[in-house]
Amino acid sequence: MSKSDAYVSFQGVQKSYDGETLVVKDLNLDAHRGEFLTMLGPSGSGKTTCLMMLAGFETVTHGEIILDGTSINNVPPHKRNIGMVFQNYALFPHMTVNENLAFPLQVRKMSKSDIEDRVKKALDMVQLGAFGTRRPMQLSGGQQQRVAVARALVFEPKLVLMDEPLGALDKQLREQMQYEIKHIHENLEVTVVYVTHDQSEALTMSNRIAVFDDGVIQQLAAPDQLYEKPENAFVAQFIGENNTLNGKVLGLDGDICTVEVEGGEKLKALAVNIQGVGFDTMISLRPERVMVNPESGQCSSTVTGKVEELIYLGDHIRSRMNVCGHDDFIVKIPNSADHAQLQPGDTVQVGWKAEDARALDVLVS
Amino acid sequence: MNTVKVNSVLLTADGTPLKISLARAQRRSKIIAFLMVTPLLVFITIAFLVPITDMLLLSGNNEIVQRILPKTVETLQNWDETSGKLPDEIVFAAMVEEIKKAKIAKKHTRVGQRLNYESSGFSSLFRKAGRKVQKIKNPPYKEALIKSDKRWGKVETWQVIKQFSGKFTDGYYLAALDLTRDSKTGNIESLPSKDSIYLKLFLRTMLLSSLITFLTFIIGFPISYLLATIPTRISNTLIIFVLLPFWTSLLVRTTSWIALLQQEGVINDFLILVGLIGEDGRLAMIHNATGTVVAMTHILLPFMILPMFSVMKTIPPSFMRAAISLGAHPWRAFWKIYFPNTVAGIGAGSILVFIIAIGYYITPALVGGSSGTFISNRIAYHISQSLNWGLGAALGVILLGIVLAFFVLYDRIVGIDNMKLG
């Protein structure tokens, strides 16, 4: 990745509020032109702080933020020309929707007819053409959200920041808005930096996701990479559902290591992030990659599991099993025509391929 | 569905109309709600509404003349006051008889006092008549009364008595507005400006109150903004300093201003010390309008800060950030986005301060001198010193009217619903 690709670039950025602890620790992150980059992490992980530094509302304690080739550390926020969508929309209640959208254009001293054209275009883009004369309070949450998006885009910024913009919406509306924002992004080819703590939202919308924890980027990757190939225990736990088996590395053969788990079983796993033979490790295994009663040769590791609980979820059956001493081992059984018929209390064989079991670092908690 | 629709009236399952059922179901809670406010309602009625109404009604009350001189008033009805002639003997006879009666009850001076408000001299006329009528035993009463005091022989005297013999009078209101009714023609005229007191006083009350409101706004706005934008932990501490004046006696605060502002006071001494003014140039800052404005601005400041603070507290900080991210300079963002959202608080604070200010009494009385007193000081004077309760009540009614007018005006412009007080 050459440097010219980066439209937004954090270079060695650190941030401290109190001079004692670092909220953001040595952040290096590039967002490409036209990319949808999501910062994902639990609250307090530093993601919003990064967004605020990019917007200019927080100062950078150390390091530099580069926008389109020039450092913006000393550019005041109102001169950065960055669109922003806030968590609570921040629509101005004393103005109509039209006036809200016209505000950034009036500030830029555009002519009246230009403003009218642009406002109309932006409202049509979010399918609110008929709502221009309403006040924000007269709109539903989803409509307010769309107005906020339109307002952040109406002055045609090259970069748009979104700070958990869908947090206040109910589930159904949130999913609908995810697609709408994604399509708007695709059509306008703007660069979007998006902050959320909702992993499914991040997976749905992003080109790449930066997973934050404790002020550090744990992994920066495309959604599929992030889900299928987590590089450390935090990412594996944070993204999607995950079975964990703790153990000790006994041997290493190329990419594949042998791990002795607590119950004494020896399992094969892909060595992703281990310190070496003799060290503790945590095996991460997605529930849908576990096979029940596998045919011989299909799996590289097979263990015995006892069915504790079954939950019928329509498209799949969720089975909680006791495997290697862990009674929270989840197996997702697809509801296919010939899926395994289980009953609580049954003892079955479960297995998986060595590549699906990822030996990672051990979370210090 | 438990409701059945018959002839477009919704019925419940047992056939009673839905509205009646609902009213029945809610009756109990309505009765309980009413019972809960009853003690307060009774208290307010007895301790506030009744006495105030009774007092205010005095402003139009003129029963005293009819009560003490009933026959005179009755017989005067047949007299044509525009004829230029004195009333008949029968009127004089009634007057003498009734003054005799009133003298025994020691009430004749009251009539004199009442009529004296309208035309000076009546007080002494009736007091003197009280002494003289005892000697008048036989008719003709007309000559005898005129002999006792020749003012009884003037048509104007009787014109005034007849004019103010009705049960109700607008005389107090006319006086309160510096107007007078010509006793001959009955026309309403304004008093010459050297005699007009109350209009000037009303005007001064309004102007100084506006100035005080404006000053509390200018001083209070930045404080409210600061309180609303700093972390809650710090703002809670600072709010105590805003509320501190509430817990200090009004009298202490006002008198401490005297210590500060008087000619030999702290501020004058300091100005001389730094050489800004000379020893002979000590500023007069107390016992005049300046003193009233300074002290009242200080006292009323919390009433401006608290409503503004509570409104500003509800404005999310993201408003300013959004405006700035849209390209507005922070000043413009403040002026176009933040400020318009504080209007409800400014309105509530201003109306509160203004209404309290125009009715303020103790501070203008203590530090106002002659140029800084308010209309309420004049009302107090009439209630407790001149004992002209009718005029005091009329001034009070007018003041109340002004307050209500401002309230309605505020409701039209800002809306009472938008008012937030804390």
Side-chain angles (χ1 to χ4, degrees):
Chain A
M1 226 171 280
S2 71
K3 267 222 149 149
S4 61
D5 275 357
Y7 183 60
V8 179
S9 176
F10 289 86
Q11 299 184 349
V13 170
Q14 293 182 314
K15 173 70 184 176
S16 173
Y17 286 106
D18 53 7
E20 286 168 11
T21 50
L22 283 170
V23 183
V24 176
K25 298 167 187 162
D26 192 29
L27 177 79
N28 290 289
L29 175 65
D30 289 349
H32 310 305
R33 202 176 290 273
E35 188 180 26
F36 197 120
L37 179 76
T38 297
M39 300 185 189
L40 174 68
S43 57
S45 60
K47 57 191 193 311
T48 299
T49 305
C50 287
L51 197 75
M52 288 301 165
M53 285 192 286
L54 182 51
F57 297 123
E58 295 291 352
T59 53
V60 177
T61 312
H62 180 263
E64 253 183 316
I65 300 175
I66 312 283
L67 176 66
D68 203 12
T70 47
S71 167
I72 53 167
N73 279 23
N74 294 317
V75 179
H78 64 279
K79 288 189 179 150
R80 294 193 179 187
N81 210 32
I82 296 174
M84 187 150 182
V85 181
F86 291 83
Q87 195 167 9
N88 56 3
Y89 321 140
L91 297 176
F92 309 139
H94 60 295
M95 294 178 170
T96 63
V97 169
N98 277 337
E99 286 163 350
N100 263 283
L101 262 66
F103 183 77
L105 306 176
Q106 284 163 351
V107 168
R108 286 170 175 75
K109 301 199 168 59
M110 291 177 68
S111 76
K112 256 200 166 163
S113 57
D114 278 0
I115 291 177
E116 266 175 45
D117 287 351
R118 289 244 208 146
V119 168
K120 199 180 165 328
K121 227 177 84 190
L123 274 185
D124 287 342
M125 177 183 72
V126 294
Q127 290 121 45
L128 285 175
F131 294 84
T133 53
R134 300 245 188 125
R135 289 195 185 262
M137 290 299 168
Q138 297 167 301
L139 301 178
S140 70
Q143 288 167 336
Q144 290 185 26
Q145 175 57 56
R146 288 187 203 160
V147 174
V149 170
R151 191 180 65 179
L153 292 164
V154 72
F155 59 101
E156 296 178 0
K158 293 277 180 293
L159 174 63
V160 178
L161 312 181
M162 300 195 186
D163 181 12
E164 310 219 8
L166 306 180
L169 302 179
D170 59 53
K171 189 169 174 284
Q172 207 175 352
L173 205 52
R174 196 158 63 221
E175 281 168 7
Q176 188 193 336
M177 283 305 298
Q178 286 170 9
Y179 294 121
E180 281 195 35
I181 291 176
K182 192 177 160 80
H183 293 151
I184 288 170
H185 166 251
E186 281 161 6
N187 293 338
L188 295 182
E189 297 174 338
V190 291
T191 310
V192 176
V193 177
Y194 193 98
V195 162
T196 185
H197 65 266
D198 181 337
Q199 43 138 328
S200 76
E201 199 168 295
L203 294 174
T204 308
M205 303 170 80
S206 322
N207 296 123
R208 285 194 303 158
I209 299 169
V211 180
F212 273 69
D213 187 48
D214 201 22
V216 175
I217 294 182
Q218 302 288 334
Q219 190 172 352
L220 172 64
D224 53 341
Q225 292 288 312
L226 206 59
Y227 184 81
E228 288 170 26
K229 293 176 177 151
E231 278 169 7
N232 60 35
F234 176 81
V235 176
Q237 300 267 44
F238 193 71
I239 309 283
E241 209 171 4
N242 186 48
N243 288 314
T244 58
L245 296 167
N246 289 311
K248 192 169 275 187
V249 181
L250 286 184
L252 186 61
D253 177 18
D255 278 349
I256 306 295
C257 59
T258 312
V259 177
E260 184 184 0
V261 295
E262 280 154 15
E265 299 264 5
K266 292 183 179 64
L267 305 174
K268 296 238 180 282
L270 188 68
V272 178
N273 191 353
I274 55 170
Q275 284 166 290
V277 175
F279 285 92
D280 284 344
T281 185
M282 187 199 89
I283 295 176
S284 155
L285 186 61
R286 296 291 181 199
E288 65 272 19
R289 295 292 169 96
V290 179
M291 283 173 278
V292 177
N293 294 331
E295 290 164 28
S296 60
Q298 216 178 359
C299 296
S300 48
S301 300
T302 311
V303 290
T304 313
K306 183 166 171 268
V307 179
E308 300 276 349
E309 192 180 6
L310 288 168
I311 297 165
Y312 182 77
L313 283 167
D315 59 339
H316 71 273
I317 294 146
R318 208 179 136 84
S319 168
R320 184 167 65 81
M321 295 188 185
N322 189 331
V323 172
C324 301
H326 295 266
D327 68 350
D328 55 354
F329 192 92
I330 304 294
V331 179
K332 279 185 186 169
I333 305 161
N335 194 358
S336 56
D338 53 352
H339 71 84
Q341 300 290 335
L342 301 179
Q343 295 296 326
D346 287 358
T347 303
V348 290
Q349 290 295 306
V350 289
W352 52 85
K353 289 175 182 166
E355 309 85 71
D356 290 333
R358 296 173 70 81
L360 304 171
D361 56 327
V362 180
L363 270 186
V364 189
S365 56
Chain B
M1 278 271 281
N2 271 343
T3 53
V4 188
K5 207 161 186 177
V6 183
N7 295 337
S8 79
V9 176
L10 280 174
L11 301 179
T12 54
D14 64 354
T16 27
L18 193 56
K19 277 195 175 165
I20 292 173
S21 294
L22 184 68
R24 218 175 269 161
Q26 289 180 338
R27 190 178 302 148
R28 200 182 136 78
S29 60
K30 277 184 182 166
I31 289 171
I32 289 173
F34 182 76
L35 284 176
M36 280 160 82
V37 297
T38 305
L40 180 67
L41 208 64
V42 170
F43 178 77
I44 286 185
T45 310
I46 293 173
F48 185 74
L49 287 178
V50 171
I52 293 266
T53 313
D54 185 52
M55 198 68 208
L56 294 182
L57 284 178
L58 284 180
S59 63
N61 188 321
N62 197 41
E63 275 180 338
I64 184 129
V65 180
Q66 260 189 29
R67 207 170 61 229
I68 294 175
L69 308 172
K71 230 167 164 184
T72 318
V73 170
E74 200 190 318
T75 49
L76 263 177
Q77 297 309 311
N78 301 324
W79 174 59
D80 178 11
E81 65 267 34
T82 55
S83 65
K85 283 185 240 162
L86 281 173
D88 299 330
E89 169 71 14
I90 181 168
V91 177
F92 280 86
M95 179 65 94
V96 170
E97 185 196 330
E98 280 168 349
I99 290 178
K100 275 185 192 167
K101 227 193 261 169
K103 164 83 180 167
I104 295 160
K106 295 195 171 128
K107 281 188 173 158
H108 62 293
T109 53
R110 295 242 197 121
V111 190
Q113 203 181 17
R114 163 70 191 98
L115 292 171
N116 200 53
Y117 296 146
E118 309 300 339
S119 175
S120 54
F122 268 91
S123 201
S124 66
L125 182 65
F126 272 84
R127 215 177 302 120
K128 194 169 170 189
R131 292 196 301 271
K132 302 273 180 162
V133 284
Q134 305 304 333
K135 292 173 194 150
I136 305 172
K137 298 266 159 43
N138 302 307
Y141 294 109
K142 194 171 179 173
E143 280 76 19
L145 196 60
I146 292 170
K147 208 179 135 203
S148 78
D149 191 320
K150 61 179 184 295
R151 281 179 285 184
W152 291 114
K154 286 188 174 163
V155 180
E156 290 82 13
T157 306
W158 295 96
Q159 278 172 336
V160 169
I161 295 173
K162 182 167 180 184
Q163 191 190 333
F164 293 100
S165 62
K167 260 188 129 150
F168 302 101
T169 178
D170 57 1
Y172 293 123
Y173 284 98
L174 293 177
L177 293 168
D178 291 332
L179 299 169
T180 182
R181 179 177 272 115
D182 193 290
S183 53
K184 276 177 226 148
T185 59
N187 293 333
I188 293 171
E189 296 162 356
S190 1
L191 286 175
S193 73
K194 68 174 170 61
D195 292 336
S196 78
I197 313 164
Y198 301 112
L199 282 185
K200 277 182 197 162
L201 213 48
F202 271 117
L203 196 67
R204 181 203 288 165
T205 305
M206 309 268 276
L207 284 178
L208 290 185
S209 297
S210 308
L211 181 63
I212 289 160
T213 309
F214 180 72
L215 288 175
T216 53
F217 165 65
I218 291 292
I219 299 170
F221 193 90
I223 299 172
S224 315
Y225 181 76
L226 181 78
L227 288 174
T229 45
I230 56 176
T232 317
R233 191 172 44 84
I234 306 172
S235 74
N236 281 344
T237 316
L238 290 182
I239 268 283
I240 292 173
F241 288 99
V242 172
L243 292 174
L244 208 57
F246 277 140
W247 304 328
T248 322
S249 155
L250 184 71
L251 214 58
V252 171
R253 276 180 287 155
T254 307
T255 41
S256 61
W257 276 113
I258 299 178
L260 279 172
L261 295 175
Q262 64 190 344
Q263 298 241 307
E264 304 293 325
V266 179
I267 290 177
N268 266 316
D269 285 352
F270 176 75
L271 290 177
I272 289 171
L273 191 75
V274 298
L276 272 174
I277 53 171
E279 189 61 50
D280 49 353
R282 286 179 177 267
L283 302 172
M285 292 180 292
I286 201 86
H287 302 305
N288 56 20
T290 313
T292 303
V293 169
V294 170
M296 281 184 64
T297 301
H298 170 227
I299 287 160
L300 295 178
L301 200 53
F303 293 99
M304 182 62 98
I305 291 175
L306 290 179
M308 285 203 292
F309 167 71
S310 75
V311 167
M312 287 178 183
K313 197 85 193 147
T314 63
I315 302 175
S318 63
F319 278 16
M320 278 287 276
R321 289 185 160 182
I324 291 169
S325 80
L326 293 171
H329 188 274
W331 278 116
R332 184 176 179 144
F334 177 83
W335 183 243
K336 290 280 182 186
I337 305 301
Y338 195 87
F339 185 77
N341 283 300
T342 63
V343 165
I346 297 171
S350 300
I351 201 91
L352 197 62
V353 169
F354 186 79
I355 287 176
I356 296 175
I358 60 174
Y360 226 67
Y361 164 70
I362 186 156
T363 303
L366 287 172
V367 301
S370 60
S371 68
T373 47
F374 278 10
I375 193 70
S376 48
N377 302 108
R378 201 71 195 167
I379 296 175
Y381 166 79
H382 282 304
I383 298 296
S384 61
Q385 284 180 40
S386 83
L387 300 184
N388 188 353
W389 287 12
L391 182 56
L395 290 169
V397 170
I398 293 170
L399 188 60
L400 184 65
I402 293 172
V403 169
L404 289 178
F406 273 97
F407 207 66
V408 170
L409 195 71
Y410 176 84
D411 188 33
R412 286 274 163 80
I413 297 170
V414 187
I416 287 301
D417 303 341
N418 291 330
M419 188 149 122
K420 287 176 186 157
L421 291 180

